[in-house]
Amino acid sequence: MRFTARSCLIAAAGVVACSGVAEAVGEHYKPHDPVYVVANKVGPFNNPSETYEYYTLPFCRTAGKQKRHKHELGEYLVGDRKVTSPYQISFLDNVQWFLLCEKTLPPSEVKMFADAIEDDYYFEMFIEDLPMWGYIGEVEGEELLLGHLETAHRYLYPHLHFSIGYNVDQVVSVNVSTNPQRKLDITAESVDIDVSFSYSVEWVPKPELKWEDRMSRYHDSRFLPGSFEIHWLSIINSLVLVLLLTAFLTIILMRVLKNDFTRYMDVEEEEMGEEETGWKLIHGDVFRFPSHVSLFSALVGAGGQLCCTTFLLLFCAITGFFRPTKRGAILTAMIVLYALTSFIGGFLGARMYRQFDGPSWVWNTVLTASAFPAPLSAIFMWVNTIAWSRGSSAALPWHTVMIIAALYFLVSFPLTVIGAIAGRNMTGDFAAPCRTTKVAREIPKDIPWYRQSPAQMFMAGFLPFSAIYIELHYIFASVWGHKIYTLFGILFIALVMLFIVTSFITVALVYFQLAREDHRWWWRSFFSGGSTGLFIYGYSFFYFFQRSSMGGWLQGSFYFGYMAIISYAFFLMLGFVGFYSSLVFIKHIYGVVKTDKNRIEKKKKTENASMEKGFRGSATAAVWK
């Protein structure tokens, strides 16, 4: 398959629309028209990332080669592999019982089903793009002895019952269930077992459910009723705590700054140089550029780009630009929006690097373009290799990888370069309120432990994390579970709260750092703001071992690998917020000090000139006398 620049640009422009924009009309059927059942995948219920193609288990197949269905980019990303199933259903035709096929399972295939049942395997099918799930079988009378199931019976469900809702001539709901009365005991794995796979169909009128609202039952019945009110109360509680914390930090900081400025203004002119202490004493060092300016500016640019991508993604989800409940729509929109916002990352990174007087702007542009994609690619290659070696459908096929790579090299990287050129040419020198001295001031070393970097980074990460802790549980249950997340308005509020708390706590800690005459605030502000990402990654361990039933090498690799990338993304975003908040704050307070100092010096010069003029007048009078 060949990928040209033109085709990739067209794909980048239209892939969001393909990822979930709600269709205006659906399929219309006439009585007895065929309705196709599409089989997708199977896998352990507790391991949502560990999925396999449907026919990895010896189900009934259609004659000949299985016909594969077309997949969108997002469907490949979530591990969908749709194939045609042998179930024959016609519109409005009820079926009491129909034999699908009869098979004699050899011991090897019996063991495959038995192992799948022990691991709580479920299957997923589609009718008219509406998903339905069911268990393959069940285990009864299990007793866990020495890590093995003893005296337990494994039952296979060979019969499926399809309940299909219709509104006039359209399919609006689907459901599949198993009949416990028709289960088959496959405990004896050493003998051949005869199985008769069958199914039944029931058509149920749903005049109250419109075709446009057919997806609503998935998030209504599986997420909202049981937790919606608690969810809102939790968010309101977090919002109140954030407001109180923000007001508390603001009052303390403003009172401290007011006292500092008052003492500074009350000092006599001749004592000004002797009375400068704390943050005012290091005005000649506070704007001294940090070390590794190329890496610093690249991380700042990458963080700004991720912030824009996140806000645009939530805005599109809230406004209905794409349908978030469609499979893979969020992942597809995220990839496309990240590529299109690369201009912002290149602009911010090059602008900062230009203000630092950096000489190697080409290398800085490459570093900005790869600050986030490079670690993501490394993690992806690792988990994709593991999934491929296990035969999992979670492994992306090569053509999907090529599409994403082409989107990066033909869209994202060129936009980063264009943004870097614009940022470099539209930016002047760094406008510092104070002149930087040639020799750096010595930093005090006798500092209490609670005012050192580790303690402050812990505080800077813990407080913002506490603001999103409750919402984080729902997000994890959606991303690493089988729930559908639809409350993007609440998620937007939680993200705004996170940014506000990060900004205020980072500014406060930077001020305390400057007050102890430590001028190395550039990297400290970025790390303090981004330290919440470490707490998120720490919470992922707690969720994996205490709040979920996930396990296994494949699921663990997916979970901890991609959670590391998500935590790194939060590190970059919140580091960007913390740094820019600190930069604005520091420029303001030192700008005020410079203005007041210039005013005092001007007043002093005026008084000296008046005194000199009076002295000259007195001397002239004495001479004439």
Side-chain angles (χ1 to χ4, degrees):
M1 181 180 296
R2 296 182 178 179
F3 297 93
T4 62
R6 182 179 179 181
S7 62
C8 290
L9 289 174
I10 293 175
V15 71
V16 175
C18 296
S19 66
V21 178
E23 302 88 346
V25 294
E27 186 74 21
H28 293 268
Y29 292 93
K30 297 178 181 180
H32 315 300
D33 281 351
V35 179
Y36 298 102
V37 178
V38 178
N40 187 23
K41 57 188 177 183
V42 296
F45 183 81
N46 294 325
N47 294 345
S49 299
E50 185 180 351
T51 57
Y52 304 92
E53 295 187 12
Y54 182 78
Y55 285 109
T56 54
L57 293 178
F59 291 110
C60 291
R61 295 173 175 262
T62 56
K65 186 178 181 181
Q66 301 302 129
K67 179 182 178 182
R68 291 186 175 272
H69 286 244
K70 294 182 179 180
H71 295 78
E72 298 177 359
L73 176 61
E75 293 176 322
Y76 277 119
L77 294 176
V78 297
D80 286 356
R81 302 295 185 269
K82 298 178 181 178
V83 295
T84 302
S85 71
Y87 295 94
Q88 298 178 3
I89 299 177
S90 54
F91 191 70
L92 299 183
D93 291 335
N94 292 328
V95 177
Q96 295 296 326
W97 182 87
F98 190 85
L99 179 64
L100 188 64
C101 74
E102 292 181 335
K103 295 187 66 175
T104 299
L105 300 179
S108 59
E109 294 184 351
V110 173
K111 187 177 187 307
M112 292 175 64
F113 273 122
D115 293 340
I117 293 172
E118 288 182 6
D119 293 335
D120 288 331
Y121 266 51
Y122 73 100
F123 64 86
E124 184 179 57
M125 295 180 177
F126 289 91
I127 294 179
E128 277 288 293
D129 288 334
L130 293 173
M132 47 188 176
W133 303 270
Y135 282 103
I136 294 174
E138 65 175 350
V139 179
E140 290 186 356
E142 60 178 286
E143 295 180 3
L144 195 61
L145 299 175
L146 302 177
H148 299 282
L149 292 172
E150 302 290 348
T151 69
H153 290 269
R154 302 160 187 83
Y155 293 95
L156 177 67
Y157 295 144
H159 181 83
L160 299 181
H161 176 73
F162 295 97
S163 177
I164 307 175
Y166 68 95
N167 187 348
V168 187
D169 58 351
Q170 292 183 301
V171 176
V172 294
S173 68
V174 296
N175 186 40
V176 63
S177 59
T178 54
N179 189 347
Q181 303 299 326
R182 296 182 178 179
K183 59 187 178 182
L184 178 65
D185 191 348
I186 60 170
T187 305
E189 301 179 2
S190 58
V191 297
D192 294 346
I193 297 179
D194 295 328
V195 183
S196 297
F197 290 96
S198 60
Y199 67 97
S200 56
V201 182
E202 177 187 10
W203 289 89
V204 182
K206 299 277 187 178
E208 74 284 355
L209 183 59
K210 296 182 180 180
W211 192 90
E212 295 81 5
D213 302 326
R214 61 184 191 151
M215 293 295 296
S216 61
R217 80 177 187 93
Y218 290 99
H219 52 79
D220 288 344
S221 62
R222 299 177 64 192
F223 188 76
L224 293 183
S227 59
F228 184 66
E229 294 182 0
I230 298 176
H231 201 161
W232 266 112
L233 291 175
S234 301
I235 288 299
I236 293 174
N237 182 39
S238 298
L239 181 61
V240 172
L241 291 177
V242 167
L243 292 177
L244 291 176
L245 176 63
T246 304
F248 180 71
L249 289 175
T250 303
I251 293 173
I252 290 180
L253 203 58
M254 294 303 295
R255 288 178 65 89
V256 171
L257 282 174
K258 183 179 179 181
N259 292 335
D260 285 350
F261 284 126
T262 301
R263 288 197 306 267
Y264 187 76
M265 296 300 297
D266 291 342
V267 174
E268 296 296 334
E269 290 83 351
E270 61 273 9
E271 299 176 358
M272 185 183 302
E274 300 176 2
E275 293 293 331
E276 283 188 347
T277 57
W279 60 271
K280 298 179 292 294
L281 186 63
I282 59 174
H283 62 84
D285 298 278
V286 71
F287 294 104
R288 192 179 304 279
F289 294 153
S291 59
H292 309 291
V293 293
S294 182
L295 177 61
F296 181 81
S297 58
L299 295 180
V300 169
Q305 179 183 351
L306 287 173
C307 285
C308 294
T309 302
T310 304
F311 274 107
L312 285 176
L313 181 67
L314 291 178
F315 175 78
C316 292
I318 293 172
T319 57
F321 184 75
F322 66 91
R323 195 171 65 202
T325 55
K326 186 174 177 63
R327 302 176 65 83
I330 294 179
L331 289 177
T332 305
M334 188 184 304
I335 293 174
V336 174
L337 288 175
Y338 181 83
L340 297 179
T341 55
S342 298
F343 177 87
I344 298 175
F347 181 87
L348 293 175
R351 180 177 181 271
M352 182 63 63
Y353 191 64
R354 170 66 179 82
Q355 291 179 339
F356 287 152
D357 296 329
S360 305
W361 73 273
V362 175
W363 167 247
N364 174 254
T365 303
V366 175
L367 196 59
T368 304
S370 58
F372 183 72
L376 175 60
S377 300
I379 295 295
F380 165 75
M381 287 188 291
W382 165 251
V383 298
N384 204 61
T385 302
I386 294 177
W388 175 79
S389 64
R390 299 293 181 92
S392 172
S393 62
L396 292 186
W398 67 272
H399 54 82
T400 304
V401 177
M402 292 298 293
I403 290 175
I404 298 175
L407 191 64
Y408 173 76
F409 287 107
L410 299 179
V411 178
S412 178
F413 188 79
L415 286 178
T416 304
V417 174
I418 295 173
I421 295 174
R424 180 174 178 82
N425 294 330
M426 297 173 60
T427 306
D429 295 333
F430 184 78
C434 305
R435 186 177 59 184
T436 302
T437 59
K438 294 183 179 180
V439 180
R441 187 180 185 86
E442 185 178 357
I443 299 172
K445 297 181 180 180
D446 187 13
I447 302 174
W449 66 269
Y450 57 86
R451 302 187 68 176
Q452 294 181 2
S453 301
Q456 291 197 354
M457 288 181 62
F458 176 85
M459 185 183 302
F462 177 76
L463 292 179
F465 174 77
S466 62
I468 63 168
Y469 169 77
I470 298 175
E471 187 65 20
L472 210 58
H473 172 77
Y474 293 97
I475 297 174
F476 271 63
S478 175
V479 176
W480 302 109
H482 299 278
K483 294 184 180 295
I484 298 177
Y485 192 93
T486 58
L487 304 180
F488 293 98
I490 294 180
L491 183 59
F492 181 82
I493 295 174
L495 187 66
V496 171
M497 290 192 303
L498 176 63
F499 281 12
I500 292 175
V501 176
T502 300
S503 176
F504 273 83
I505 191 64
T506 305
V507 167
L509 293 177
V510 166
Y511 170 78
F512 294 139
Q513 176 187 349
L514 298 178
R516 65 172 185 266
E517 301 177 6
D518 186 353
H519 57 81
R520 301 169 301 180
W521 65 273
W522 300 84
W523 279 106
R524 184 75 61 82
S525 63
F526 191 90
F527 281 115
S528 295
S531 58
T532 305
L534 299 178
F535 280 85
I536 294 176
Y537 195 58
Y539 176 80
S540 68
F541 283 85
F542 169 78
Y543 184 87
F544 185 88
F545 293 107
Q546 300 296 329
R547 291 292 182 266
S548 74
S549 301
M550 292 184 284
W553 179 249
L554 176 60
Q555 179 63 36
S557 299
F558 268 83
Y559 179 83
F560 290 110
Y562 283 123
M563 278 310 306
I565 290 299
I566 294 173
S567 302
Y568 176 61
F570 272 95
F571 170 77
L572 293 177
M573 286 193 298
L574 299 179
F576 168 81
V577 172
F579 163 70
Y580 261 98
S581 302
S582 302
L583 179 63
V584 173
F585 170 76
I586 292 175
K587 278 190 173 182
H588 173 71
I589 62 174
Y590 281 96
V592 171
V593 169
K594 179 182 178 182
T595 302
D596 293 337
K597 189 173 182 179
N598 290 342
R599 182 176 56 82
I600 294 174
E601 290 179 353
K602 184 177 180 180
K603 180 180 178 182
K604 184 176 180 180
K605 289 181 180 179
T606 303
E607 292 177 355
N608 291 338
S610 299
M611 292 178 59
E612 185 177 355
K613 184 177 180 181
F615 175 77
R616 290 179 179 177
S618 300
T620 303
V623 170
W624 279 104
K625 185 176 179 180

